[in-house]
Amino acid sequence: MIDKRVYPFSVEPQNVDFTLHATAASICTAMLNTAGVDAHLHGFGVDTLTQDNMSWVLSRMAVEIEALPPQYTSYNVSTWVNEAGRMLTTRNFEATAADGTCYARGVTQWCLIDFTNRRPVALDVIEQMQACMTAAPSPCAAPRKLRPVEATRTVQHRVAYSDIDFNRHMNTMRYVDLMMDMLPIERLADHTPLRLDVHFLHESCFGQVLTVGCRDTATGTLFEICRDDAASACLASVEWRPQK
Amino acid sequence: MIDKRVYPFSVEPQNVDFTLHATAASICTAMLNTAGVDAHLHGFGVDTLTQDNMSWVLSRMAVEIEALPPQYTSYNVSTWVNEAGRMLTTRNFEATAADGTCYARGVTQWCLIDFTNRRPVALDVIEQMQACMTAAPSPCAAPRKLRPVEATRTVQHRVAYSDIDFNRHMNTMRYVDLMMDMLPIERLADHTPLRLDVHFLHESCFGQVLTVGCRDTATGTLFEICRDDAASACLASVEWRPQK
């Protein structure tokens, strides 16, 4: 058992939107970068895993944004792993101001993939992770169940050089950008608190054309991003939450 | 007269491409962020100028990339202003490794805009800048002359929430992303040294549909990005340079 770890961040010009506050996507990026660095520092990072031809794959993500820090603000992201099932592990995040005010909470679920057969691997092979658990609850509800969406609006996007990660797959956070770009800009300008749930189902490769479909509900918007072979790359939901 | 100033950077996961090296665009972003912070620290940043309803506008940019640092590398960006004409000022950059090896050089030309009439202002109103000149030559040739392009390939892009700056205009660096996305990915994978020249002509607003047109030449690619009213938003050139 170990304590939560804390990593410092700062809101740089490339992280803000037209309101000069951090975007929700940039806070999610900070959380995922924290995951990468924290796993590395504890001996189960991607650098170690690739030696055995394995890697972490983000399966599900839930993020609740309470407030968005303005440009050049310093903030902290704390992270801890509190669950490791047979195939899925849960990593948590809290993004907070220097005075402890909460900007955002996050819960992510990861699986381990063997690149030789592209299949999931049981987590007990990662002994270093078992020593790195923290007995603290997740800061918000786990990623919720999502279903395919009958879209009422769609846009298309070809996966380009600036979108791809080291596997030549669409970068996780670019999916979030594509979804945010379909939301009402006034709601984003107001910094209305929101909850984002995403399930990553199939990777999209360089050159594929994605269809981003969405449907508005009473409290938010549901998304499904499909590849050109009709497979679903991800399902997601954005829900607006009451202002405090 | 003052010395060059040096600002530290690090190649974060969101700055790399599929080769796990920094993208050329991320090095340009680091340069522009350095410009913002350096102007702020010397009393002529956007924060001060907006009090008088003015702002800096990037007019032309030339960047030569020699090499691209791998993920998590620390590097430095030095900057200095060595010219202030009546309407245009020149700010220079060098991005270097800890051992002094050059990653990239940049020369940018800026004008000052009065938002009340959207017209350029003579630079002598900015007294703080006159005290902040450095008698050092620019590290590479100034931005070169560019002409409209008869495109042989085009893609379209609608200016979205994730593209815009505080003026609700397309962010400078998103133009560069759009252009890089049209280059041969093998050349980008090889880290072939390149020179990028961009002229920013007209702003593009949220919701406008841009046409990114390009034409390959013997040594590189020429670009013109047009708005849906046919005005040219920017002209650019990428030239591949000999490997050293």
Side-chain angles (χ1 to χ4, degrees), chain A residues 174-222:
Chain A
R174 290 291 292 138
Y175 290 113
V176 176
D177 277 338
L178 288 177
M179 295 187 288
M180 291 292 168
D181 285 348
M182 294 187 83
L183 293 176
I185 197 165
E186 314 76 45
R187 264 303 184 43
L188 295 164
D190 284 350
H191 302 162
T192 308
L194 62 84
R195 177 178 165 108
L196 171 68
D197 289 85
V198 194
H199 291 201
F200 300 97
L201 298 170
H202 293 99
E203 68 272 14
S204 349
C205 297
F206 176 71
Q208 277 188 320
V209 176
L210 304 178
T211 301
V212 187
C214 69
R215 163 182 287 274
D216 295 324
T217 66
T219 54
T221 305
L222 300 171

Side-chain angles (χ1 to χ4, degrees), chain A residues 22-36:
Chain A
T23 59
S26 76
I27 304 287
C28 296
T29 299
M31 289 179 177
L32 296 184
N33 289 356
T34 300

Side-chain angles (χ1 to χ4, degrees), chain A residues 12-14 16-18 20 23-24 29 33 36-37 72 160-162 164-168 174 177 180-181 185 188-189 206, chain B residues 12-14 16-18 20 23-24 29 33 36-37 72 160-162 164-168 174 177 180-181 185 188-189 206:
Chain A
E12 301 296 328
Q14 67 273 22
V16 304
D17 68 9
F18 68 95
L20 291 177
T23 59
T29 299
N33 289 356
V37 168
Y72 297 125
Y161 166 76
S162 64
I164 58 178
D165 66 13
F166 65 100
N167 282 319
R168 296 198 181 206
R174 290 291 292 138
D177 277 338
M180 291 292 168
D181 285 348
I185 197 165
L188 295 164
F206 176 71
Chain B
E12 302 296 328
Q14 67 272 25
V16 304
D17 69 9
F18 67 96
L20 291 177
T23 59
T29 299
N33 289 356
V37 169
Y72 297 125
Y161 166 76
S162 64
I164 57 177
D165 66 14
F166 65 100
N167 281 319
R168 296 198 182 205
R174 290 292 292 139
D177 277 338
M180 291 293 168
D181 285 348
I185 196 166
L188 294 165
F206 176 72

